[in-house]
Amino acid sequence: MPSSKWSLRNIYLYLVCLITLIMVIVGAVGVIRSGVELVYPEPTMMEPLPKTEGGQPAMTEEEWQRQQEIGRQQSRRWAIINLVGNIALVVIAGPIYAYHWRKIEEEKAEPTPIAA
C-alpha cells in the first residue's frame, strides 16, 4: 500500500470523491427543483384566441383549448424527464462516491510502514 498520504492513488480517490459528491449535490438539487415544478407548475399565460386579419378566429375554441392543454402536458413531461434524469444522477454517482470514500477510509485505517 502507498506510504505517502498524497500518493497518486490517494489523489485519484479524492478527485473521484470530489467529482461524484458534486454530481450528487447537483442531482439532489435537480430532484427537488423538478419535484417542485411537478407539484407547483409554472402558470401558463392564457393567450387570446388567435384571429385572422379579417378579425375572425383562426381556430375553434376547442382547438385552442386543445393547444393550451398540449402545452401543459409538454411542461409536465419535461418536468418528469428532468426528475428522472436527476434521480439517475444521484443513484449512479452516490454509490461511486461511497465506494471511493470507503477505500480512502480503509487506507487511513491501515498502519503506515515505517521507513528505516
Side-chain angles (χ1 to χ4, degrees), residues 12-96:
Y12 162 77
L13 290 172
Y14 279 112
L15 281 175
V16 170
C17 283
L18 175 66
I19 292 167
T20 54
L21 183 60
I22 290 170
M23 291 170 67
V24 167
I25 291 169
V26 168
V29 168
V31 165
I32 293 168
R33 184 162 190 244
S34 296
V36 168
E37 193 174 333
L38 281 171
V39 173
Y40 184 66
E42 184 177 334
T44 57
M45 293 201 45
M46 295 299 283
E47 307 234 351
L49 186 62
K51 308 254 185 212
T52 61
E53 290 181 17
Q56 296 296 324
M59 61 179 75
T60 65
E61 182 72 27
E62 294 89 25
E63 290 173 337
W64 183 76
Q65 289 292 340
R66 191 172 60 81
Q67 291 293 328
Q68 297 295 318
E69 181 59 29
I70 288 171
R72 285 188 288 274
Q73 288 175 354
Q74 286 176 337
S75 293
R76 181 172 170 81
R77 180 177 182 271
W78 279 110
I80 292 170
I81 288 172
N82 286 334
L83 180 65
V84 170
N86 286 313
I87 289 172
L89 187 63
V90 171
V91 167
I92 292 170
I96 294 171

